[in-house]
Amino acid sequence: MKLFDDIRWIFFDLGSTLIDESAQMEQLIRDIRQAFLSFDLDYAPEQIRSTMVRAMMDYSPMLRTTIFSLARSEEQLEAVSGRLHRDPSLDRLYPGTLEALKELSGHYRLGVIANLTGDGKEKLARLGLDGLFSLCLFSGEQGVAKPEEELFRRAIQQAGCAPAQALMVGDRLEQDIYPANRVGMKTVRILQGFGRYQTPKGLGYQPTAIIQKIQELGPLLQATYRGEREPVTVG
């Protein structure tokens, strides 16, 4: 039996999986720098960026850990944290994402499992993704967030499939891959965003397969729906 023969559902993370957060992260780096300048602390953008990378490598909350590492007082920590806001206008799909999802939707049911406190469906519509997903589980609506396994169990239950019939695609080992593995889903890690700097710290963090970008997911799975050849790990 081929590795992905039983897959019926594909669930996706959003940030740094379907949505390119590069511009968002660069804006946050600028905002952090400006906030610390008000305390006469001049951190170079590269220093802030490298601190973010270390936090991600340590499986720590990236922004909170970065600010905590750079702040020299509780006042600075609270002040800088309070000035950071994400700008929805900076969100962009990675190139080829829409086309890849449309192709996959002809062979699988698609869903979303994401940590999102705002209006998730509005966000999808703004990015042109409305109508592509049969099931969306957002942490703000569910009252439970990744990496809690309960969110993944709910996705499987609502999809009406067995865990082994569901695939999770995401960029973060601790947020996407580990909990999905724990509940019995297959997993694909996508090496994008800051998550690409992470290294698996145990067998449970190892994905079923690895890809570099979303366009590689179709070729990875195509043997399942075309019967051409054994699927291979891309990247």
Side-chain angles (χ1 to χ4, degrees):
M1 178 179 288
K2 301 183 182 72
L3 187 60
F4 297 105
D5 264 356
D6 291 337
I7 297 301
R8 301 292 178 266
W9 280 82
I10 304 176
F11 289 94
F12 295 90
D13 173 47
L14 290 179
S16 295
T17 296
L18 303 180
I19 300 173
D20 184 353
E21 296 184 312
S22 300
Q24 190 80 252
M25 290 298 106
E26 290 305 310
Q27 182 60 55
L28 286 170
I29 288 171
R30 289 192 291 270
D31 290 344
I32 291 171
R33 183 168 189 266
Q34 287 299 316
F36 275 113
L37 280 172
S38 66
F39 293 99
D40 295 322
L41 292 173
D42 188 359
Y43 292 114
E46 187 52 44
Q47 182 178 359
I48 298 171
R49 191 177 295 107
S50 63
T51 305
M52 293 168 70
V53 169
R54 286 196 301 273
M56 182 62 69
M57 293 174 67
D58 291 338
Y59 292 73
S60 300
M62 186 172 66
L63 290 177
R64 189 169 65 204
T65 302
T66 297
I67 297 168
F68 182 83
S69 298
L70 300 175
R72 298 182 180 178
S73 68
E74 188 69 27
E75 177 191 4
Q76 292 178 11
L77 178 63
E78 294 180 3
V80 175
S81 298
R83 296 182 195 180
L84 300 186
H85 302 283
R86 289 178 177 264
D87 182 355
S89 69
L90 296 176
D91 289 337
R92 297 287 188 275
L93 294 179
Y94 283 105
T97 294
L98 188 58
E99 296 79 3
L101 292 174
K102 286 181 177 178
E103 168 66 17
L104 290 166
S105 69
H107 307 280
Y108 305 93
R109 302 288 295 276
L110 305 184
V112 171
I113 303 175
N115 283 348
L116 190 64
T117 55
D119 187 338
K121 289 184 172 58
E122 186 278 331
K123 186 182 185 76
L124 294 178
R126 179 162 37 83
L127 292 166
L129 297 177
D130 49 323
L132 281 172
F133 300 104
S134 302
L135 182 59
C136 295
L137 282 83
F138 301 116
S139 60
E141 297 175 356
Q142 296 293 320
V144 61
K146 296 187 298 185
E148 293 296 325
E149 295 169 22
E150 175 61 22
L151 193 60
F152 295 82
R153 292 194 184 95
R154 290 182 189 180
I156 293 167
Q157 182 179 28
Q158 293 180 33
C161 67
Q165 293 177 315
L167 174 68
M168 179 66 196
V169 182
D171 63 302
R172 300 275 296 275
L173 293 177
E174 85 284 15
Q175 296 274 356
D176 303 311
I177 304 305
Y178 180 76
N181 282 341
R182 289 275 296 175
V183 302
M185 299 171 72
K186 298 250 181 5
T187 54
V188 170
R189 180 188 183 187
I190 187 165
L191 298 177
Q192 296 179 153
F194 281 85
R196 70 186 184 274
Y197 295 109
Q198 292 184 318
T199 301
K201 60 180 180 180
L203 186 60
Y205 294 83
Q206 293 282 0
T208 310
I210 299 173
I211 58 177
Q212 301 284 336
K213 53 187 178 181
I214 197 67
Q215 295 97 317
E216 295 174 352
L217 185 59
L220 179 68
L221 302 175
Q222 69 179 350
T224 298
Y225 58 76
R226 292 180 184 171
E228 293 177 351
R229 61 181 186 274
E230 292 291 328
V232 295
T233 298
V234 181

